[in-house]
Amino acid sequence: MTPSGKAEHSFFDQVYQLVQQVPKGRVTTYGAIAKALGSGLSARMVGWAMNGSHSGVNPVPAHRVVNRNGQLTGKIHFGSATEMQELLENEGIAVENDTVINFRELFWDPANEL
DNA sequence: ACGTTGACTTATT
DNA sequence: AAATAAGCCAACG
């Protein structure tokens, strides 16, 4: 998968790079990413793209990507159900009941910040 | 090749 | 307010 240097223009790669640009201690949503790419209704593909994140040599902070409710819906794909929460807490993000606390403040909108 | 599933979201009932 | 329907697009069987 075209290692470092080669930037693909596929929907997946756009998602990867965008998520990688998410500041530490911040979180974003699938819908925001999808919307930033032009299709706000294709949020599912964003999650699916994350599924292929392992295909890329670059680490994709998928733990910073949550659903619109701030809920860690994708934590089940991390291998450990608590790993995603631990990662978020490690960045200073408070998580409880699989939901990001102060999600509204921590929300990083690529269409607004980028 | 067709049908189902999926880390979502919005609208409608 | 809660539940259901629909829309999106790609991958898997």
Side-chain angles (χ1 to χ4, degrees):
Chain A
M1 189 65 134
T2 62
S4 50
K6 196 81 187 279
E8 300 272 338
H9 291 94
S10 303
F11 187 87
F12 282 47
D13 293 297
Q14 292 179 53
V15 176
Y16 299 151
Q17 295 190 26
L18 197 155
V19 174
Q20 287 168 7
Q21 288 163 73
V22 175
K24 179 186 173 197
R26 294 290 186 89
V27 287
T28 188
T29 71
Y30 303 99
I33 296 168
K35 197 166 203 167
L37 294 178
S39 302
L41 302 180
S42 57
R44 280 181 168 143
M45 304 298 88
V46 178
W48 197 248
M50 290 283 115
N51 202 359
S53 63
H54 64 83
S55 299
V57 293
N58 285 339
V60 179
H63 57 273
R64 290 185 188 150
V65 184
V66 294
N67 67 351
R68 213 228 180 268
N69 213 4
Q71 190 172 20
L72 283 55
T73 50
K75 72 170 190 182
I76 46 192
H77 283 276
F78 274 78
S80 296
T82 55
E83 184 172 330
M84 186 174 185
Q85 180 173 339
E86 296 270 323
L87 287 167
L88 289 171
E89 290 180 329
N90 187 30
E91 298 194 348
I93 301 175
V95 179
E96 186 170 306
N97 196 16
D98 299 336
T99 308
V100 177
I101 308 296
N102 298 331
F103 162 70
R104 192 113 155 125
E105 299 178 13
L106 298 171
F107 176 56
W108 181 81
D109 188 350
N112 185 34
E113 305 290 338
L114 190 58

